[in-house]
Amino acid sequence: MTNESIHVGPAQKKKLIFLVALILTIAVMNGTMFNVAIPDIQSYFGIPSSQVSWVLTSYIMVYAIGALMYGKLADFYSIKALLTFGIILFAAGATLGLFSQSFAMLLVARVLQAAGGATIPALGFVIPARFFPEDKGRVFGLISSTVAFASGVGPIVGGLLGGWLSWRYLFLFSILSLLALPFLRKWLPDEEKRSGFIDYLGAALFGAAIAGILLFVTTLQWIFLLMFIVFMAVFAVRTAKADDPFIRPSLLKNKYYTVTILTSFLGVCSMFGLLFIIPLMTRELYELSTTQIGLVIFPGAILAGFLGRTGGDLADRHGPKVVVIAALVFIAFGTMLLSGFAGVSAVAVSVVLIIAYIGFPLIQSSTANILSSVLEENETGVGIGMFNLMNFMAGAFSSAIFGAVLEIQGVTTSLNPFASGGNSAIYSNVYLALTLISLFALAMFTYTFRAFRVAPRSEKNPE
């Protein structure tokens, strides 16, 4: 059975989209909820900060690499089989975490969770491209808005549930994903295994290289940078010699593909940097509690959740290129305003944050839409897998880089002439840096795609 022969009816499509959005919410919240539980976990096991940070580091590392691996596997194996395996492993890891009696057992649980949970975002973007491409813009918008919404509410839910009960009960959220499995297996179309060869050695080398760079940015230990360079060099040699390498050089030679994932990387880097900085700033400058910090972020997250589908519809009507440009303008304008309003009031920050937050789902949905148009059918899985990998790496990079910048002492002068100095100057300057990153992405994307056009849905379906 070829992909072209697979038909998904309107009713089945609606059910499938709803279910994918639901389990994606659980998967994303599982990552963000544990951010606020780190102090409790550290206290429970009596371990230093450097050790407890591995609860997040191990999860991000395995999750990011897994997103690429599952994307590649989706080019050959059925999405139904891969999601079944992933959700079972995700829930098994959560069960182990719920009853963990040692920190080592907790880390194993988080790694299992990440290894299974990585299937959800990886395949969530492949499903619309493969099964209902005529509505991919709208569905990409819904998926991206789900990610934005879940990223915002995850810390709130984690703070409330962890404070009311215990950090252990955060794992219950992941176990609930098992309830969706029978419906996924019923509504996902059946696919035959496709012929082809998977370069597992190349995959292992690339995975080791990515692990090295992620470990470097999260620990700042130079041995991991050396690990990245060595494994990436060996991977390059393997790619040149293999008949069917894990990542085909033609994929990266496609300038539209390469610039699109770089644009997404920079845009997401700005957004995750923003979401990393906001809690630190509001705690230091306004002395807000964890719940109050969540309430500062919540308006932007909820609005992004509602507007994501609208962005997808706009991409279908007018082409995704327009939406990418609009997303980067929103992010740049929002971060510029935050640079000026840093230190004014928590209410002002919450209102201005909404502007930047609008760009979050728009940048992800529109770039994914473009990728599905510029990739060959047999490259969709690994191409979108690389897209997901870069987005996860953006989160790790932005947190590490801006976290180090915020530790600089004695900064009292703001580079933004409209901002006040003093304690808020360092935050104002970092927001200004995020603005410049967004503007650079905008210029790069606009120049590369100046003559590129994806036909809007109205032209593809003139009836």
Side-chain angles (χ1 to χ4, degrees):
M1 180 184 295
T2 63
N3 289 342
E4 288 81 7
S5 64
I6 296 176
H7 174 71
V8 179
Q12 181 184 2
K13 185 190 302 182
K14 288 181 180 179
K15 294 175 182 177
L16 191 55
I17 292 171
F18 170 78
L19 206 56
V20 169
L22 182 62
I23 60 173
L24 185 60
T25 300
I26 294 173
V28 174
M29 288 182 63
N30 175 75
T32 58
M33 284 192 302
F34 278 87
N35 290 357
V36 298
I38 289 299
D40 293 336
I41 294 174
Q42 180 182 9
S43 175
Y44 182 86
F45 289 109
I47 54 178
S49 299
S50 59
Q51 192 172 346
V52 75
S53 66
W54 279 95
V55 172
L56 301 179
T57 301
S58 62
Y59 188 87
I60 292 173
M61 185 172 63
V62 176
Y63 204 75
I65 297 172
L68 174 61
M69 301 304 176
Y70 286 119
K72 179 67 174 180
L73 290 173
D75 286 333
F76 301 97
Y77 297 96
S78 74
I79 291 179
K80 179 185 290 188
L82 292 174
L83 268 178
T84 299
F85 170 79
I87 290 175
I88 291 175
L89 189 60
F90 185 56
T95 303
L96 181 63
L98 181 64
F99 297 104
S100 58
Q101 298 301 310
S102 67
F103 184 66
M105 187 181 296
L106 176 63
L107 282 184
V108 172
R110 289 292 282 169
V111 168
L112 288 176
Q113 273 196 298
T119 58
I120 299 171
L123 303 179
F125 281 97
V126 175
I127 286 173
R130 179 171 297 177
F131 297 137
F132 24 91
E134 69 282 357
D135 289 326
K136 64 184 179 183
R138 181 175 62 86
V139 181
F140 282 146
L142 180 61
I143 291 174
S144 299
S145 64
T146 299
V147 172
F149 174 75
S151 298
V153 301
I156 300 176
V157 175
L160 292 175
L161 188 59
W164 179 42
L165 296 173
S166 164
W167 58 266
R168 291 184 179 279
Y169 291 93
L170 300 182
F171 285 107
L172 288 176
F173 246 82
S174 305
I175 298 174
L176 290 175
S177 62
L178 281 175
L179 298 177
L181 192 54
F183 301 100
L184 275 174
R185 293 193 58 80
K186 178 180 179 181
W187 294 331
L188 272 171
D190 292 312
E191 301 172 88
E192 293 179 357
K193 183 180 181 298
R194 300 164 187 81
S195 60
F197 169 77
I198 298 178
D199 181 13
Y200 289 106
L201 176 58
L205 291 171
F206 189 75
I210 296 302
I213 193 63
L214 287 173
L215 287 170
F216 171 70
V217 299
T218 52
T219 66
L220 296 181
Q221 295 185 23
W222 293 101
I223 185 66
F224 293 122
L225 180 60
L226 178 62
M227 172 183 168
F228 165 73
I229 294 172
V230 170
F231 278 107
M232 188 57 76
V234 178
F235 171 74
V237 174
R238 170 66 182 179
T239 299
K241 292 184 176 181
D243 294 331
D244 189 6
F246 180 67
I247 299 176
R248 296 174 183 170
S250 59
L251 185 67
L252 299 180
K253 290 179 181 178
N254 182 338
K255 69 174 183 179
Y256 294 119
Y257 173 78
T258 303
V259 169
T260 299
I261 63 172
L262 285 176
T263 300
S264 177
F265 175 84
L266 293 173
V268 174
C269 188
S270 297
M271 283 307 307
F272 274 107
L274 187 63
L275 295 177
F276 174 79
I277 298 164
I278 288 291
L280 297 175
M281 185 189 75
T282 51
R283 175 63 59 85
E284 179 181 349
L285 300 184
Y286 312 122
E287 299 182 348
L288 301 186
S289 66
T290 300
T291 302
Q292 290 172 325
I293 293 172
L295 292 175
V296 169
I297 299 173
F298 185 74
I302 192 70
L303 186 61
F306 284 119
L307 292 181
R309 180 172 174 175
T310 301
D313 288 336
L314 289 174
D316 279 337
R317 293 195 194 100
H318 305 291
K321 184 172 74 171
V322 176
V323 182
V324 173
I325 293 172
L328 292 171
V329 169
F330 274 116
I331 295 173
F333 186 52
T335 51
M336 175 61 81
L337 288 177
L338 282 168
S339 175
F341 279 94
V344 175
S345 74
V347 174
V349 169
S350 181
V351 172
V352 173
L353 180 60
I354 293 174
I355 299 173
Y357 223 125
I358 292 173
F360 194 175
L362 298 185
I363 190 68
Q364 287 194 310
S365 63
S366 52
T367 49
N369 199 331
I370 290 177
L371 291 181
S372 67
S373 300
V374 302
L375 290 169
E376 299 293 333
E377 183 183 345
N378 62 351
E379 293 178 334
T380 300
V382 69
I384 294 183
M386 181 72 78
F387 163 77
N388 282 309
L389 170 67
M390 292 294 287
N391 285 341
F392 290 127
M393 288 180 63
F397 272 64
S398 60
S399 298
I401 292 172
F402 292 115
V405 171
L406 291 177
E407 291 181 358
I408 299 175
Q409 302 294 322
V411 178
T412 57
T413 303
S414 175
L415 299 177
N416 186 337
F418 300 101
S420 58
N423 293 337
S424 65
I426 184 68
Y427 296 104
S428 174
N429 293 340
V430 172
Y431 292 137
L432 190 60
L434 294 178
T435 302
L436 296 177
I437 291 173
S438 304
L439 291 176
F440 174 77
L442 177 62
M444 176 182 65
F445 178 84
T446 304
Y447 177 78
T448 304
F449 280 79
R450 62 193 183 280
F452 179 86
R453 187 166 179 267
V454 176
R457 184 173 58 187
S458 58
E459 295 182 14
K460 297 176 183 177
N461 302 289
E463 70 276 9

